[in-house]
Amino acid sequence: MIFPILIFFIFLISGFVISVQDIRTFHLPLSVIYSAAALILIFRFCYEVNAGILFAAGGISAFLFYFFIRMITAGALGMGDVHLAFLCGCYNGIYDFFLSSFLSALTGSLFFLFQRIFFRKSIRNLRLPFAPFMTVSSLFIELFRIVKIPEVLWQ
């Protein structure tokens, strides 16, 4: 029971550090990303080997998915976000990562539109730190899984 709690706090603390760094400088600390991913995968493998494999596959598929998005958008998505996708995939796993990605894209887009409409900022000059949206959506998906909201809604 201790491993899921450790994994949660590792992701929470590293996600906070990464998000603050992204907001301040638009650069993500790769050492924090890959240290947290390594610790998460070690604890996942210690907890259950088969689950560790699925979460490692989630990290790899997340990295490839975001790298593909970066290639087709001609670099609109930063390479740091691609590396952060690996961490989020290791945290959420292969099944929940795509839901987390959709949620982060949705919240990021809504925030972008909010800034565009209410603050009249030009789209060309507007840069969006995407790491906070990725981190919060990954944590929300974990909370969604812990609370078991779908089971509560369907009863």
Side-chain angles (χ1 to χ4, degrees), residues 26-90:
F26 289 101
H27 294 286
L28 302 182
L30 296 182
S31 60
V32 174
I33 291 172
Y34 284 106
S35 298
L39 284 173
I40 287 172
L41 286 177
I42 288 169
F43 287 134
R44 294 270 189 215
F45 276 104
C46 289
Y47 187 62
E48 184 180 352
V49 174
N50 291 337
I53 293 170
L54 286 176
F55 284 97
I60 294 168
S61 62
F63 182 88
L64 294 174
F65 178 71
Y66 270 71
F67 187 74
F68 177 72
I69 290 173
R70 178 178 163 77
M71 290 298 118
I72 63 172
T73 60
L77 185 69
M79 197 61 194
D81 296 325
V82 175
H83 292 288
L84 181 58
F86 177 75
L87 173 61
C88 292
C90 290

Side-chain angles (χ1 to χ4, degrees), residues 6-25:
L6 285 172
I7 291 168
F8 173 78
F9 280 109
I10 289 169
F11 187 78
L12 181 69
I13 293 167
S14 63
F16 178 77
V17 169
I18 292 164
S19 296
V20 168
Q21 183 73 18
D22 192 24
I23 291 169
R24 293 175 77 207
T25 65

Side-chain angles (χ1 to χ4, degrees), residues 97-149:
F97 172 72
F98 290 105
L99 181 60
S100 172
S101 292
F102 173 75
L103 185 62
S104 61
L106 179 67
T107 55
S109 298
L110 290 175
F111 184 78
F112 181 81
L113 287 174
F114 177 80
Q115 278 195 324
R116 174 72 178 114
I117 292 169
F118 291 108
F119 295 113
R120 306 268 187 219
K121 292 192 175 189
S122 171
I123 292 177
R124 290 183 185 166
N125 298 333
L126 189 61
R127 292 179 61 192
L128 184 68
F130 198 52
F133 299 105
M134 292 174 69
T135 303
V136 169
S137 65
S138 293
L139 290 170
F140 182 76
I141 295 301
E142 183 69 21
L143 177 68
F144 197 75
R145 187 181 322 126
I146 291 171
V147 176
K148 299 181 181 177
I149 292 173

